[in-house]
Amino acid sequence: MATIDLSPLYRSSVGFDRMASLLDSALRSDTGATGYPPYNIELVAENQYAITLAVAGFEDSDLEIEVENGVLRVTGKKAEENEKREFLHRGIANRAFERKFSLAEHIEVTGAALKNGLLTIGLVKNIPEAMKPKRISIGSSTKDLLEDRSKSKEESAA
């Protein structure tokens, strides 16, 4: 696999450390990683998402969900079976797993539910009011606009 040098990105940008480290980790990730358990990522509404993982055979006590530093981690570990069973074919995987999802800024986990072997995790994007676009009304008089600006400068100087 060809490697990509991201050092110019680190040298010429400020404040994009998270994006650069995400790119770096995605490019260095283990390509031999398994696809277990399979999952879907769904856009539910404009700022709502759902991640659904197929975790057949797992109880809610076998699963753990945690968010740390913008990474959602779902782990599953099956309790040891006490009874000895003989399988002719074993196609249902009950092996331990860990699945990680990188979350964008302002994405919060709202909850999780386990139903019919599917674990669904709800996510919502809460954009702070200061970051939302705001509409500026256009007035007809520039005189009032400039007078207000000079008054506020005088008040702040006093």
Side-chain angles (χ1 to χ4, degrees):
M1 181 177 137
T3 59
I4 298 173
D5 183 20
L6 294 178
S7 57
L9 179 64
Y10 289 111
R11 282 194 310 259
S12 62
S13 63
V14 177
F16 293 98
D17 301 336
R18 179 167 157 76
M19 182 185 67
S21 64
L22 282 173
L23 279 170
D24 199 30
S25 65
L27 293 171
R28 293 176 195 225
S29 69
D30 183 16
T31 57
T34 66
Y36 180 76
Y39 65 93
N40 293 335
I41 300 176
E42 179 183 359
L43 177 63
V44 178
E46 184 178 344
N47 288 324
Q48 286 185 303
Y49 306 90
I51 298 174
T52 304
L53 292 97
V55 291
F58 285 87
E59 299 287 332
D60 55 354
S61 60
D62 300 329
L63 301 168
E64 185 176 310
I65 304 167
E66 77 180 27
V67 178
E68 183 179 1
N69 295 328
V71 176
L72 170 66
R73 188 174 79 220
V74 181
T75 55
K77 186 172 183 183
K78 198 77 169 135
E80 293 287 325
E81 287 187 14
N82 292 336
E83 68 181 71
K84 194 72 172 166
R85 296 165 63 181
E86 183 178 334
F87 292 96
L88 298 178
H89 171 75
R90 188 166 190 166
I92 299 173
N94 282 331
R95 63 182 178 263
F97 69 88
E98 180 178 79
R99 225 358 137 176
K100 293 181 181 180
F101 301 92
S102 295
L103 303 178
E105 289 186 57
H106 312 297
I107 297 283
E108 298 175 10
V109 177
T110 58
L114 180 63
K115 185 176 178 184
N116 298 329
L118 297 174
L119 174 66
T120 303
I121 303 167
L123 304 161
V124 66
K125 185 173 188 175
N126 288 325
I127 302 171
E129 201 62 40
M131 295 185 72
K132 289 182 181 177
K134 53 185 168 184
R135 186 170 297 277
I136 308 297
S137 61
I138 301 172
S140 59
S141 172
T142 56
K143 180 181 176 188
D144 295 337
L145 180 66
L146 296 176
E147 284 179 8
D148 288 343
R149 184 185 290 172
S150 64
K151 286 180 185 177
S152 63
K153 284 183 182 178
E154 291 171 4
E155 289 173 2
S156 64

